[in-house]
Amino acid sequence: MHFRIESSESTNIRINLTEGTKKMIERAHVHGITGFTKITPRRIRKHLTRVFIGILIMPWGLGSTARAACTTPSFAAAVSVAAGTGPIAVAVGDFNGDNKRDLAVANSSSNNISILMGDGTGKFGAATNFTVGTFPNSIAVGDFNGDGKLDLATSNSSSNNISILLGDGTGKFGAATNIAVMSLPDAIVAADLNGDNKLDLATANYGTDNVSILLGDGTGKFGNPTNFMTGSKPVAIAVGDLNGDNKRDLVTANYGTNNVSVLLGDGTGNVGAPTSFRVGTAPFSVAVADLNGDNKLDLATANLGSNSAGISGTVSVLLGDGMGKFAAATNFSAGGVPDSIAVGDFNGDNKRDIAAANYASNNISILIGDGSGNFGIVVNFAVGVSPESVVTGDFNGDGKPDLATANLGSPSNTSILLNTCP
């Protein structure tokens, strides 16, 4: 068959495709996609690349040491750090117990996790890699076996499983244990979903329109998945107590139906039927945080947009009422095709801001919050090529939230942006 690649020069290439790849392309055509664009879900983009060539969001800065506010967020120029091939997700944790932030990067082409050890000054060492399943696309960090050392879990969309890697506290991890879930798991979170003080896992499964919940036993092992329906094509998942009953709830961003699904937990590891709230076009990431200072959790999504040229996109903000319901979304402009968001106080005014990674414009947009749930002012900072994921953490110990992105383009790398707000 022929497949047309949208680029500066259109090219027709004859290729032989597996049945799985054909089905992925068929799903792309349902959305009106005729080429290799950002609007194609990540598993399609990367699968074609191989053919052709190849959480709760932590609101850093709030409630920490007081610091002076700056009107406009400020970051030093991005510094690139090499990871594996096809970095698509990044997570933060102290993996060697030195009280300095390290990074874990999921590499979708080399099928491994890169651990980048931080030195506490904002610099990171050479990557150490650990094998996981096929096409890892999301990372959860937590102590899964109760030994006080951080472990890792990845969702692997091409092998339809998750990988569990137990840490030894020195920055090294044991061989992955793989557990099957449903079709095309696209995101993973860790949280105590049944109130036993042991971490559980939940995945968003793009291929089967559901989430899988796997209850942990506290030794690093997890039970068989229990599945709960969501909207169409969930690509992201987050966790929080959305109705104030002290039980963890789940929310998914549903690429296929342009909405989020809220699934309220009962405290035993089960969640109820989904309640849907509309957001912008093609939501690709979701975050949970109090965005208007009323001590009730709100939602934010990064929406790729509908422009097949890959130049549009928004961030949707949905204010929560504390009972599991949310007001109609307010949409705010970001950069070109925002596909990941993180929340933090990036200008030191004790109001939460939103950082959006923009795949098409190769930058991060900081949407400055006014404390009432509005984010009208946007400031952009350049990063590497095709950022797929953004996280925040204090990488140099100065009490300010810094940023890191996983950049899928060429060259594949991770960008580090240190906060220079006075």
Side-chain angles (χ1 to χ4, degrees), residues 239-283:
V239 63
D241 180 10
L242 302 178
N243 61 348
D245 64 354
N246 294 314
K247 302 169 185 176
R248 296 292 183 271
D249 310 308
L250 298 176
V251 57
T252 62
N254 305 315
Y255 175 89
T257 40
N258 299 327
N259 59 14
V260 294
S261 291
V262 172
L263 299 92
L264 299 179
D266 66 0
T268 70
N270 295 311
V271 294
T275 302
S276 297
F277 301 90
R278 190 166 183 82
V279 295
T281 302

Side-chain angles (χ1 to χ4, degrees), residues 22-43:
K22 291 178 182 177
K23 291 178 181 177
M24 292 177 183
I25 294 173
E26 289 170 1
R27 283 200 296 272
H29 280 292
V30 168
H31 290 281
I33 301 159
T34 57
F36 182 50
T37 70
K38 174 57 193 176
I39 305 302
T40 317
R42 61 172 67 111
R43 73 205 51 75

Side-chain angles (χ1 to χ4, degrees), residues 99-314:
N99 294 315
K100 301 169 184 176
R101 296 290 180 268
D102 311 309
L103 297 176
V105 181
N107 303 304
S108 58
S109 292
S110 50
N111 299 324
N112 57 17
I113 297 291
S114 292
I115 301 298
L116 309 172
M117 307 306 298
D119 68 359
T121 71
K123 298 179 180 179
F124 293 85
T128 303
N129 298 319
F130 301 90
T131 300
V132 293
T134 307
F135 198 93
N137 51 28
S138 180
I139 308 172
V141 178
D143 181 8
F144 302 142
N145 60 350
D147 64 355
K149 303 167 185 175
L150 288 181
D151 310 308
L152 299 174
T154 64
S155 55
N156 311 308
S157 63
S158 290
S159 49
N160 296 326
N161 60 13
I162 63 173
S163 295
I164 310 298
L165 299 89
L166 299 181
D168 68 0
T170 70
K172 296 180 180 179
F173 294 83
T177 299
N178 297 321
I179 304 172
V181 291
M182 299 298 285
S183 175
L184 300 175
D186 216 34
I188 188 168
V189 291
D192 179 11
L193 299 175
N194 62 346
D196 65 354
N197 295 314
K198 302 169 185 176
L199 285 180
D200 311 305
L201 297 172
T203 64
N205 307 312
Y206 176 95
T208 43
D209 299 339
N210 58 13
V211 297
S212 294
I213 292 178
L214 300 90
L215 298 180
D217 68 358
T219 71
K221 298 179 181 179
F222 293 84
N224 293 327
T226 304
N227 304 310
F228 302 89
M229 296 306 297
T230 64
S232 175
K233 298 177 174 56
V235 293
I237 188 169
V239 63
D241 180 10
L242 302 178
N243 61 348
D245 64 354
N246 294 314
K247 302 169 185 176
R248 296 292 183 271
D249 310 308
L250 298 176
V251 57
T252 62
N254 305 315
Y255 175 89
T257 40
N258 299 327
N259 59 14
V260 294
S261 291
V262 172
L263 299 92
L264 299 179
D266 66 0
T268 70
N270 295 311
V271 294
T275 302
S276 297
F277 301 90
R278 190 166 183 82
V279 295
T281 302
F284 217 64
S285 177
V286 62
V288 175
D290 179 8
L291 300 175
N292 62 348
D294 64 355
N295 295 314
K296 301 170 184 175
L297 289 180
D298 309 306
L299 303 177
T301 63
N303 312 308
L304 303 184
S306 59
N307 191 322
S308 62
I311 59 174
S312 68
T314 60

